Short mmCIF file of all heavy atoms in Angstrom, two decimals:
data_model
loop_
_atom_site.label_atom_id
_atom_site.label_comp_id
_atom_site.label_asym_id
_atom_site.label_seq_id
_atom_site.Cartn_x
_atom_site.Cartn_y
_atom_site.Cartn_z
N ARG A 80 -3.19 4.94 18.96
CA ARG A 80 -2.81 6.08 19.79
C ARG A 80 -1.61 6.80 19.17
O ARG A 80 -1.60 8.03 19.05
CB ARG A 80 -2.48 5.60 21.20
CG ARG A 80 -2.30 6.70 22.20
CD ARG A 80 -2.40 6.16 23.63
NE ARG A 80 -1.43 5.11 23.88
CZ ARG A 80 -0.19 5.34 24.33
NH1 ARG A 80 0.24 6.56 24.54
NH2 ARG A 80 0.64 4.33 24.55
N PHE A 81 -0.60 6.04 18.75
CA PHE A 81 0.59 6.66 18.17
C PHE A 81 0.26 7.29 16.82
O PHE A 81 0.64 8.41 16.54
CB PHE A 81 1.71 5.63 18.00
CG PHE A 81 2.27 5.18 19.31
CD1 PHE A 81 1.90 3.98 19.87
CD2 PHE A 81 3.13 5.99 20.03
CE1 PHE A 81 2.37 3.58 21.09
CE2 PHE A 81 3.63 5.60 21.26
CZ PHE A 81 3.24 4.38 21.80
N GLU A 84 -1.60 10.60 17.18
CA GLU A 84 -0.76 11.70 17.66
C GLU A 84 0.24 12.13 16.59
O GLU A 84 0.52 13.31 16.43
CB GLU A 84 -0.02 11.29 18.94
CG GLU A 84 -0.94 11.20 20.13
CD GLU A 84 -0.20 10.91 21.43
OE1 GLU A 84 1.03 11.19 21.50
OE2 GLU A 84 -0.83 10.39 22.36
N LYS A 88 0.73 15.95 14.44
CA LYS A 88 1.93 16.77 14.62
C LYS A 88 2.85 16.79 13.42
O LYS A 88 3.97 17.32 13.50
CB LYS A 88 2.69 16.27 15.86
CG LYS A 88 1.93 16.52 17.14
CD LYS A 88 2.78 16.44 18.38
CE LYS A 88 2.03 16.99 19.58
NZ LYS A 88 2.71 16.71 20.84
N LYS A 110 10.55 16.85 6.16
CA LYS A 110 11.78 16.11 6.46
C LYS A 110 11.63 15.14 7.62
O LYS A 110 12.62 14.60 8.12
CB LYS A 110 12.91 17.11 6.74
CG LYS A 110 13.40 17.79 5.45
CD LYS A 110 14.50 18.78 5.73
CE LYS A 110 15.01 19.36 4.42
NZ LYS A 110 15.94 20.48 4.66
N ALA A 111 10.40 14.96 8.09
CA ALA A 111 10.17 14.01 9.18
C ALA A 111 9.77 12.65 8.61
O ALA A 111 8.97 12.58 7.67
CB ALA A 111 9.09 14.53 10.12
N GLU A 112 10.33 11.59 9.16
CA GLU A 112 10.01 10.24 8.70
C GLU A 112 9.78 9.33 9.90
O GLU A 112 10.69 9.11 10.71
CB GLU A 112 11.16 9.71 7.84
CG GLU A 112 10.86 8.36 7.25
CD GLU A 112 11.99 7.86 6.34
OE1 GLU A 112 12.37 8.58 5.41
OE2 GLU A 112 12.48 6.74 6.61
N ASN A 114 8.70 5.49 11.25
CA ASN A 114 8.54 4.07 10.92
C ASN A 114 7.67 3.45 12.00
O ASN A 114 8.04 3.45 13.17
CB ASN A 114 9.89 3.35 10.96
CG ASN A 114 10.74 3.64 9.74
OD1 ASN A 114 11.27 2.76 9.10
ND2 ASN A 114 10.89 4.92 9.43
N ASN A 116 5.55 0.00 13.33
CA ASN A 116 5.31 -1.42 13.13
C ASN A 116 3.82 -1.67 12.98
O ASN A 116 3.05 -1.47 13.91
CB ASN A 116 5.86 -2.22 14.31
CG ASN A 116 7.36 -2.03 14.47
OD1 ASN A 116 8.09 -1.89 13.48
ND2 ASN A 116 7.83 -2.00 15.71
N ASP A 276 -30.17 26.02 40.31
CA ASP A 276 -28.72 25.90 40.35
C ASP A 276 -28.16 26.50 41.65
O ASP A 276 -27.30 25.91 42.30
CB ASP A 276 -28.15 26.64 39.13
CG ASP A 276 -26.69 26.30 38.87
OD1 ASP A 276 -26.25 25.22 39.34
OD2 ASP A 276 -26.01 27.09 38.21
N ARG A 277 -28.66 27.66 42.05
CA ARG A 277 -28.20 28.28 43.30
C ARG A 277 -28.60 27.42 44.50
O ARG A 277 -27.80 27.20 45.41
CB ARG A 277 -28.81 29.68 43.45
CG ARG A 277 -28.07 30.74 42.67
CD ARG A 277 -28.57 32.13 43.02
NE ARG A 277 -29.85 32.43 42.40
CZ ARG A 277 -30.00 32.91 41.17
NH1 ARG A 277 -28.94 33.18 40.43
NH2 ARG A 277 -31.20 33.14 40.67
N LEU A 280 -26.37 24.49 45.28
CA LEU A 280 -25.04 24.72 45.86
C LEU A 280 -24.97 24.18 47.28
O LEU A 280 -23.96 23.60 47.68
CB LEU A 280 -24.72 26.22 45.88
CG LEU A 280 -24.42 26.86 44.53
CD1 LEU A 280 -24.21 28.36 44.70
CD2 LEU A 280 -23.20 26.23 43.90
N GLU A 284 -24.52 19.17 49.56
CA GLU A 284 -23.92 18.65 50.78
C GLU A 284 -24.84 17.68 51.49
O GLU A 284 -24.40 16.72 52.11
CB GLU A 284 -23.57 19.80 51.73
CG GLU A 284 -22.30 20.50 51.42
CD GLU A 284 -21.11 19.57 51.45
OE1 GLU A 284 -20.72 19.12 52.54
OE2 GLU A 284 -20.57 19.27 50.37
N PRO A 307 -27.97 21.60 57.17
CA PRO A 307 -27.84 22.12 58.54
C PRO A 307 -26.42 22.59 58.91
O PRO A 307 -26.27 23.62 59.54
CB PRO A 307 -28.29 20.93 59.40
CG PRO A 307 -29.20 20.16 58.52
CD PRO A 307 -28.67 20.32 57.13
N GLU A 308 -25.39 21.84 58.47
CA GLU A 308 -24.03 22.20 58.86
C GLU A 308 -23.57 23.51 58.21
O GLU A 308 -22.83 24.28 58.81
CB GLU A 308 -23.06 21.10 58.46
CG GLU A 308 -23.34 19.78 59.14
CD GLU A 308 -22.11 19.22 59.80
OE1 GLU A 308 -21.02 19.45 59.26
OE2 GLU A 308 -22.25 18.59 60.86
N ILE A 309 -23.97 23.71 56.95
CA ILE A 309 -23.44 24.83 56.17
C ILE A 309 -24.36 26.06 56.23
O ILE A 309 -23.91 27.16 56.50
CB ILE A 309 -23.27 24.42 54.68
CG1 ILE A 309 -22.48 23.11 54.55
CG2 ILE A 309 -22.59 25.54 53.89
CD1 ILE A 309 -21.07 23.16 55.09
N GLY A 310 -25.64 25.84 55.98
CA GLY A 310 -26.57 26.95 55.96
C GLY A 310 -27.77 26.63 55.09
O GLY A 310 -28.03 25.47 54.80
N LYS A 311 -28.51 27.66 54.68
CA LYS A 311 -29.69 27.39 53.85
C LYS A 311 -29.85 28.48 52.81
O LYS A 311 -29.18 29.53 52.88
CB LYS A 311 -30.93 27.29 54.73
CG LYS A 311 -31.25 28.56 55.48
CD LYS A 311 -32.49 28.39 56.34
CE LYS A 311 -32.81 29.72 57.05
NZ LYS A 311 -34.01 29.67 57.87
N VAL A 312 -30.71 28.22 51.83
CA VAL A 312 -30.97 29.21 50.79
C VAL A 312 -32.45 29.22 50.49
O VAL A 312 -33.12 28.18 50.53
CB VAL A 312 -30.13 28.92 49.52
CG1 VAL A 312 -30.27 27.49 49.09
CG2 VAL A 312 -30.50 29.85 48.38
N ILE A 313 -32.97 30.42 50.23
CA ILE A 313 -34.39 30.55 49.90
C ILE A 313 -34.51 31.61 48.80
O ILE A 313 -33.79 32.61 48.83
CB ILE A 313 -35.20 30.90 51.17
CG1 ILE A 313 -36.70 30.84 50.90
CG2 ILE A 313 -34.80 32.25 51.73
CD1 ILE A 313 -37.50 30.77 52.22
N GLU A 314 -35.35 31.35 47.81
CA GLU A 314 -35.45 32.29 46.71
C GLU A 314 -36.86 32.28 46.14
O GLU A 314 -37.48 31.23 46.03
CB GLU A 314 -34.43 31.92 45.62
CG GLU A 314 -34.47 32.84 44.42
CD GLU A 314 -33.24 32.72 43.53
OE1 GLU A 314 -32.30 31.99 43.90
OE2 GLU A 314 -33.23 33.37 42.48
N ARG B 80 -15.27 27.27 50.08
CA ARG B 80 -15.77 26.61 48.88
C ARG B 80 -17.20 27.05 48.57
O ARG B 80 -17.55 27.40 47.44
CB ARG B 80 -15.69 25.09 49.04
CG ARG B 80 -15.95 24.30 47.79
CD ARG B 80 -15.43 22.88 47.92
NE ARG B 80 -16.02 22.18 49.04
CZ ARG B 80 -17.18 21.50 48.97
NH1 ARG B 80 -17.86 21.45 47.85
NH2 ARG B 80 -17.65 20.87 50.03
N PHE B 81 -18.06 27.05 49.61
CA PHE B 81 -19.45 27.44 49.39
C PHE B 81 -19.56 28.92 49.06
O PHE B 81 -20.25 29.32 48.12
CB PHE B 81 -20.29 27.11 50.63
CG PHE B 81 -20.45 25.65 50.83
CD1 PHE B 81 -19.69 24.97 51.76
CD2 PHE B 81 -21.34 24.93 50.05
CE1 PHE B 81 -19.81 23.61 51.92
CE2 PHE B 81 -21.47 23.56 50.20
CZ PHE B 81 -20.70 22.90 51.14
N GLU B 84 -18.53 29.66 45.46
CA GLU B 84 -19.51 29.22 44.46
C GLU B 84 -20.78 30.07 44.51
O GLU B 84 -21.37 30.38 43.48
CB GLU B 84 -19.87 27.75 44.68
CG GLU B 84 -18.74 26.82 44.26
CD GLU B 84 -19.12 25.35 44.39
OE1 GLU B 84 -20.32 25.04 44.35
OE2 GLU B 84 -18.20 24.52 44.54
N LYS B 88 -22.60 32.74 41.49
CA LYS B 88 -23.91 32.43 40.91
C LYS B 88 -25.02 33.37 41.38
O LYS B 88 -26.19 33.12 41.07
CB LYS B 88 -24.28 30.98 41.24
CG LYS B 88 -23.36 29.99 40.52
CD LYS B 88 -23.90 28.60 40.48
CE LYS B 88 -23.09 27.75 39.51
NZ LYS B 88 -23.41 26.33 39.62
N LYS B 110 -33.76 38.37 44.58
CA LYS B 110 -34.70 37.67 45.45
C LYS B 110 -34.10 36.40 46.06
O LYS B 110 -34.81 35.58 46.63
CB LYS B 110 -35.97 37.33 44.66
CG LYS B 110 -36.83 38.56 44.42
CD LYS B 110 -38.08 38.20 43.64
CE LYS B 110 -38.96 39.45 43.46
NZ LYS B 110 -40.03 39.20 42.49
N ALA B 111 -32.78 36.23 45.90
CA ALA B 111 -32.12 35.06 46.48
C ALA B 111 -31.51 35.43 47.82
O ALA B 111 -30.90 36.50 47.96
CB ALA B 111 -31.04 34.53 45.54
N GLU B 112 -31.68 34.55 48.81
CA GLU B 112 -31.14 34.82 50.13
C GLU B 112 -30.47 33.57 50.68
O GLU B 112 -31.12 32.54 50.86
CB GLU B 112 -32.26 35.28 51.08
CG GLU B 112 -31.75 35.62 52.45
CD GLU B 112 -32.87 36.13 53.36
OE1 GLU B 112 -33.58 37.07 52.98
OE2 GLU B 112 -33.05 35.53 54.45
N PHE B 113 -29.14 33.65 50.89
CA PHE B 113 -28.40 32.54 51.47
C PHE B 113 -28.13 32.83 52.94
O PHE B 113 -27.83 33.97 53.31
CB PHE B 113 -27.05 32.38 50.76
CG PHE B 113 -27.13 31.73 49.41
CD1 PHE B 113 -27.42 32.48 48.28
CD2 PHE B 113 -26.93 30.36 49.28
CE1 PHE B 113 -27.49 31.88 47.03
CE2 PHE B 113 -27.00 29.75 48.03
CZ PHE B 113 -27.29 30.52 46.91
N ASN B 114 -28.22 31.80 53.79
CA ASN B 114 -27.78 31.87 55.18
C ASN B 114 -26.58 30.95 55.33
O ASN B 114 -26.71 29.74 55.11
CB ASN B 114 -28.87 31.37 56.13
CG ASN B 114 -29.99 32.37 56.29
OD1 ASN B 114 -30.42 32.68 57.38
ND2 ASN B 114 -30.49 32.89 55.17
N ASN B 116 -23.46 29.54 57.86
CA ASN B 116 -22.91 29.51 59.21
C ASN B 116 -21.46 29.97 59.18
O ASN B 116 -20.61 29.30 58.61
CB ASN B 116 -23.01 28.10 59.80
CG ASN B 116 -24.45 27.61 59.87
OD1 ASN B 116 -25.37 28.41 60.12
ND2 ASN B 116 -24.66 26.33 59.63
N ASP B 276 9.34 17.64 19.63
CA ASP B 276 7.99 17.23 20.03
C ASP B 276 7.57 15.98 19.26
O ASP B 276 7.02 15.03 19.83
CB ASP B 276 7.03 18.40 19.74
CG ASP B 276 5.68 18.21 20.40
OD1 ASP B 276 5.61 17.45 21.39
OD2 ASP B 276 4.70 18.81 19.94
N ARG B 277 7.84 15.95 17.95
CA ARG B 277 7.51 14.76 17.14
C ARG B 277 8.32 13.55 17.59
O ARG B 277 7.79 12.45 17.74
CB ARG B 277 7.76 15.04 15.66
CG ARG B 277 6.65 15.80 14.99
CD ARG B 277 6.85 15.87 13.48
NE ARG B 277 7.87 16.83 13.11
CZ ARG B 277 7.64 18.13 12.91
NH1 ARG B 277 6.43 18.62 13.07
NH2 ARG B 277 8.62 18.94 12.57
N LEU B 280 7.08 11.70 20.62
CA LEU B 280 5.87 10.87 20.52
C LEU B 280 6.21 9.40 20.70
O LEU B 280 5.49 8.65 21.34
CB LEU B 280 5.20 11.06 19.15
CG LEU B 280 4.49 12.39 18.93
CD1 LEU B 280 3.94 12.46 17.52
CD2 LEU B 280 3.36 12.56 19.95
N GLU B 284 7.48 6.13 24.99
CA GLU B 284 7.27 4.73 25.31
C GLU B 284 8.53 4.09 25.89
O GLU B 284 8.46 3.20 26.72
CB GLU B 284 6.86 3.96 24.04
CG GLU B 284 5.42 4.08 23.71
CD GLU B 284 4.51 3.55 24.81
OE1 GLU B 284 4.47 2.33 25.01
OE2 GLU B 284 3.86 4.37 25.45
N PRO B 307 11.63 0.22 20.16
CA PRO B 307 11.65 -1.01 19.36
C PRO B 307 10.27 -1.62 19.10
O PRO B 307 9.99 -2.06 17.99
CB PRO B 307 12.53 -1.95 20.20
CG PRO B 307 13.43 -1.03 20.96
CD PRO B 307 12.61 0.19 21.24
N GLU B 308 9.38 -1.59 20.09
CA GLU B 308 8.07 -2.23 19.91
C GLU B 308 7.18 -1.46 18.94
O GLU B 308 6.41 -2.06 18.19
CB GLU B 308 7.35 -2.30 21.25
CG GLU B 308 8.07 -3.13 22.29
CD GLU B 308 7.16 -4.19 22.88
OE1 GLU B 308 5.95 -3.91 23.01
OE2 GLU B 308 7.66 -5.28 23.20
N ILE B 309 7.28 -0.14 18.97
CA ILE B 309 6.34 0.69 18.21
C ILE B 309 6.93 1.09 16.86
O ILE B 309 6.28 0.97 15.82
CB ILE B 309 5.98 1.97 18.99
CG1 ILE B 309 5.54 1.64 20.42
CG2 ILE B 309 4.92 2.77 18.26
CD1 ILE B 309 4.29 0.80 20.52
N GLY B 310 8.15 1.60 16.87
CA GLY B 310 8.76 2.07 15.63
C GLY B 310 9.81 3.11 15.92
O GLY B 310 10.28 3.23 17.05
N LYS B 311 10.19 3.88 14.89
CA LYS B 311 11.20 4.91 15.11
C LYS B 311 10.88 6.15 14.30
O LYS B 311 10.01 6.14 13.42
CB LYS B 311 12.58 4.37 14.74
CG LYS B 311 12.72 3.96 13.29
CD LYS B 311 14.12 3.44 13.02
CE LYS B 311 14.23 3.09 11.53
NZ LYS B 311 15.53 2.58 11.13
N VAL B 312 11.56 7.25 14.61
CA VAL B 312 11.35 8.49 13.89
C VAL B 312 12.71 9.15 13.67
O VAL B 312 13.61 9.06 14.52
CB VAL B 312 10.37 9.42 14.65
CG1 VAL B 312 10.77 9.57 16.10
CG2 VAL B 312 10.28 10.79 14.00
N ILE B 313 12.87 9.75 12.52
CA ILE B 313 14.12 10.43 12.19
C ILE B 313 13.75 11.70 11.42
O ILE B 313 12.83 11.68 10.60
CB ILE B 313 15.05 9.50 11.39
CG1 ILE B 313 16.43 10.09 11.23
CG2 ILE B 313 14.45 9.11 10.07
CD1 ILE B 313 17.46 9.03 10.82
N GLU B 314 14.41 12.81 11.74
CA GLU B 314 14.05 14.07 11.09
C GLU B 314 15.28 14.96 10.97
O GLU B 314 16.11 15.02 11.88
CB GLU B 314 12.97 14.78 11.91
CG GLU B 314 12.55 16.12 11.33
CD GLU B 314 11.23 16.63 11.88
OE1 GLU B 314 10.60 15.93 12.70
OE2 GLU B 314 10.84 17.74 11.50
#
Side-chain angles (χ1 to χ4, degrees):
Chain A
R80 190 163 57 89
F81 291 101
E84 288 185 22
K88 293 197 168 170
K110 287 179 176 171
E112 184 177 306
N114 284 229
N116 299 325
D276 194 21
R277 279 189 284 274
L280 288 176
E284 279 300 290
E308 299 232 327
I309 309 298
K311 62 180 182 178
V312 50
I313 188 163
E314 179 164 355
Chain B
R80 190 162 58 87
F81 291 101
E84 287 184 24
K88 292 197 168 169
K110 286 180 178 169
E112 182 178 306
F113 284 85
N114 285 228
N116 300 325
D276 193 23
R277 279 189 284 273
L280 287 177
E284 278 300 290
E308 298 233 326
I309 309 297
K311 61 180 182 180
V312 50
I313 189 163
E314 179 163 358

